[in-house]
Amino acid sequence: MRSDELIRGPARAPHRSLMRALGVDRGDVGRPIIGVANSFNELVPGHMHLRTIAEQVKYGVYQGGGTPLEFNVIGVCDGLAMNHEGMNYSLVSREVIADSVEVMARAHALDGLVLIPNCDKVVPGMVMAAARLDIPTAIVSGGPMLAGYHAGRRIENKDVLEAVGAYFHGKITAEELCALEDDSCPTCGSCAGLFTANSMSCLTECLGMALPGDGTIPAPFSARLILARKTGVQAVQAVLQGWNARRYLTRAGLGNALALDAALGCSTNTVLHLMAIAREAGLELDLRAFNEASARTPHLVKLSPAGTFYMEDFHRAGGVMAVLERLAGAGLIDGTVPTIAGTDLQSQYRNARPQNDEVIRPLTRPYSPTGGLAILFGNLAPDGAVVKEAAVLPPMLCHRGPARVFDDEDSAVAAIAARAIEPGSVMVIRYVGPKGGPGMPEMLTPTSTLAGAGLDDRVALVTDGRFSGVTRGACVGHVVPEAADGGPIALVQEGDMILIDIPGRSISLEVAEDELVRRRSAWRQPRVDATGVLGRYVRMVSGANQGAVVEATPHM
């Protein structure tokens, strides 16, 4: 075991003395040392209960014959960080999290890991670390929040975001906005719809790195405590059996994840994260693979923000395994891939029957014959752009309109609030990509304000930034090359016609090539004033089409 380097032999007496200081006695020597990476903090609603989850994990590790030792990593709440400087740090935190787990595992010769993430960038950051380390690893998340209840209907934080736009346009009063604010987030947990955190937890369960139910069991349910304890036991088994993380992170496993992503209509952020995870696992994953998966996979589940169901409904309907059972019936899942439970994937989904044919549609009656995400290419996005097709209203699947151009998020939001955006327009928000943002901030406030203003069925939005899973409407993000790199999005001017054809997987700027050449000759790369972690990120980050990962060679 790796921990032998830490505790075996006379030369390691000083090391063992420090272990005694931790309360690890001689009887614990020889047990696998399992690092419990806990993202608990009191700033993120999805993480405030993770001490309880960690305690159950540690019980399970000890029951399984291991020695659990807990450490913490950071986590950012995208909801609290958005629409101010904080959002520049959200995607950056994914890299810091991965690095932190790597440092702790390697520095302390850990035999295995249990990762306890929950919100947005913590799940992919931890999985990236597992892929990089390739040591035995099990994952148990904190689970989703329950939906709120207001005025006879269920609501969530998304409804408050959209209510802000309604308030600015005089559609609701300040008192009504305040009431929504109080009722939308009633419990701990990741937000109640299929946003980035829950999307990634569902995909992690599909990959076999988490036990069944991990993606959907609500945070307040006691079943999650039982799941945490079982996960601790299985982490020890993984060490004893030599089941390293890349056992699950294979081409077949990623293929299953892409199929599930398409069937659920997951957040556009999953594109960034799956590509980053694949890179850490030494696998090639091209953007076109998402379109290929979408083309052959029906869209079976439509949760908020695209639909009216929530994660708790999905859980009661059978969750991830029930969807995999349906997809396997169409030959879309490789059930032979291994799982942390010690069985193959088909053993987990074989008897998982969907309990609600509206929450999980049958193959004969999908929401759409194709999946929920689409990758667009064209002269505005030569290296690709991403849209959550499942959340786009039918009239906006094909949209042509004049550009309204903004070089930052604040001015775009101000224009919406001032009612300066005409129906039929295409809002372009640029210089907010991985380098230009910096940190590729989410454009959640503009999209929610558009929806609240009742414009999401008449106005499209295109950006080199990214979107939260909360976003709905014709919102095209991850445009590559980004504006800070001189991509075509940097050349768009007010009034230019933009054509978005989501079914045709294309996005075009209707400007003559000679005019674009003239504009490019006049364009100058803006200076990005960033220091500290942001400065390092800007120098080292790749494009969104490569997962916006930090690489060894500077990109500036």
Side-chain angles (χ1 to χ4, degrees), residues 44-389:
V44 184
H47 293 221
M48 61 181 286
H49 61 304
L50 295 188
R51 281 187 294 195
T52 303
I53 299 293
E55 287 303 313
Q56 294 299 317
V57 166
K58 290 188 284 187
Y59 291 150
V61 169
Y62 206 80
Q63 287 173 352
T67 298
L69 295 173
E70 182 181 353
F71 62 91
N72 285 86
V73 300
I74 64 167
V76 171
C77 176
D78 278 22
L80 292 175
M82 70 178 176
N83 203 222
H84 62 87
E85 181 191 19
M87 185 47 69
N88 297 112
Y89 291 86
S90 173
L91 188 57
V92 176
S93 75
R94 185 189 70 178
E95 313 304 310
V96 176
I97 290 160
D99 291 348
S100 297
V101 174
E102 177 192 2
V103 167
M104 293 299 286
R106 291 294 189 216
H108 302 100
L110 300 178
D111 296 307
L113 290 166
V114 177
L115 307 176
I116 308 177
N118 215 29
C119 291
D120 291 13
K121 309 309 168 291
V122 188
V123 184
M126 285 188 166
V127 179
M128 287 167 64
R132 186 185 302 172
L133 290 163
D134 195 27
I135 65 175
T137 304
I139 299 172
V140 58
S141 73
M145 164 186 308
L146 297 175
Y149 191 79
H150 175 79
R153 66 185 180 99
R154 291 190 297 170
I155 63 169
E156 60 186 329
N157 187 250
K158 166 189 73 70
D159 296 279
V160 185
L161 288 161
E162 295 181 359
V164 171
Y167 171 73
F168 283 143
H169 282 72
K171 295 183 177 182
I172 64 171
T173 66
E175 290 74 18
E176 290 170 316
L177 179 61
C178 186
L180 280 166
E181 172 188 326
D182 289 342
D183 294 342
S184 67
C185 299
T187 71
C188 60
S190 50
C191 293
L194 189 64
F195 312 132
T196 303
N198 294 329
S199 293
M200 287 306 303
S201 288
C202 288
L203 297 182
T204 302
E205 182 180 332
C206 174
L207 285 168
M209 299 189 73
L211 295 175
D214 185 62
T216 59
I217 297 173
F221 282 19
S222 296
R224 186 154 290 276
L225 302 180
I226 297 170
L227 185 75
R229 197 158 58 250
K230 289 180 177 178
T231 302
V233 172
Q234 287 307 119
V236 180
Q237 280 300 306
V239 173
L240 298 178
Q241 299 297 327
W243 297 338
N244 289 351
R246 293 191 189 182
R247 179 174 185 254
Y248 318 103
L249 298 172
T250 62
R251 292 192 183 281
L254 281 175
N256 289 341
L258 290 176
L260 180 67
D261 195 323
L264 297 184
C266 288
S267 164
T268 52
N269 280 320
T270 59
V271 176
L272 288 174
H273 301 327
L274 285 176
M275 295 188 75
I277 290 166
R279 174 184 175 275
E280 294 288 1
L283 300 171
E284 292 289 333
L285 181 60
D286 187 84
L287 272 177
R288 288 171 177 79
F290 291 86
N291 277 345
E292 293 165 3
S294 181
R296 61 178 176 262
T297 309
H299 181 206
L300 303 181
V301 178
K302 203 165 191 176
L303 305 181
S304 178
T308 58
F309 297 113
Y310 296 90
M311 291 302 295
E312 61 201 80
D313 303 311
F314 183 34
H315 175 65
R316 293 187 177 101
V320 168
M321 291 302 148
V323 176
L324 295 181
E325 189 271 340
R326 288 217 155 136
L327 294 177
L332 296 168
I333 295 296
D334 183 344
T336 66
V337 298
T339 73
I340 193 67
T343 64
D344 59 17
L345 189 62
Q346 64 189 352
S347 298
Q348 296 183 339
Y349 65 66
R350 182 180 293 124
N351 298 315
R353 298 289 180 265
Q355 302 300 305
N356 186 320
D357 282 351
E358 285 306 308
V359 178
I360 304 174
R361 290 274 184 95
L363 293 168
T364 56
R365 191 169 56 87
Y367 285 102
S368 167
T370 57
L373 289 180
I375 310 299
L376 312 184
F377 295 93
N379 71 337
L380 186 54
D383 295 329
V386 184
V387 63
K388 187 171 182 175
E389 185 175 11

Side-chain angles (χ1 to χ4, degrees), residues 509-530:
L509 176 63
E510 297 181 350
V511 175
E513 184 60 31
D514 58 347
E515 171 62 13
L516 291 178
V517 170
R518 186 192 67 77
R519 293 181 189 180
R520 181 171 300 283
S521 66
W523 179 82
R524 297 293 180 269
Q525 186 174 41
R527 176 181 175 142
V528 179
D529 291 320

Side-chain angles (χ1 to χ4, degrees), residues 390-515:
V392 179
L393 296 169
M396 294 298 291
L397 289 170
C398 290
H399 180 80
R400 179 177 182 270
R404 292 297 317 279
V405 182
F406 303 92
D407 288 346
D408 59 78
E409 179 185 6
D410 289 345
S411 59
V413 173
I416 301 169
R419 308 187 188 188
I421 303 300
E422 295 294 327
S425 302
V426 177
M427 295 186 68
V428 176
I429 306 178
R430 62 192 181 187
Y431 295 107
V432 289
K435 293 179 186 175
M440 205 180 184
E442 289 182 347
M443 298 295 104
L444 177 54
T445 299
T447 60
S448 298
T449 307
L450 276 176
L455 293 172
D456 57 322
D457 62 344
R458 290 173 290 171
V459 174
L461 195 155
V462 176
T463 181
D464 53 7
R466 61 189 177 87
F467 298 117
S468 161
V470 178
T471 299
R472 59 185 173 92
C475 299
V476 181
H478 305 197
V479 170
V480 184
E482 64 173 291
D485 278 335
I489 192 172
L491 309 179
V492 181
Q493 295 182 1
E494 285 279 325
D496 287 348
M497 297 303 293
I498 294 174
L499 175 61
I500 301 168
D501 180 1
I502 296 173
R505 304 300 192 243
S506 70
I507 180 167
S508 302
L509 176 63
E510 297 181 350
V511 175
E513 184 60 31
D514 58 347
E515 171 62 13

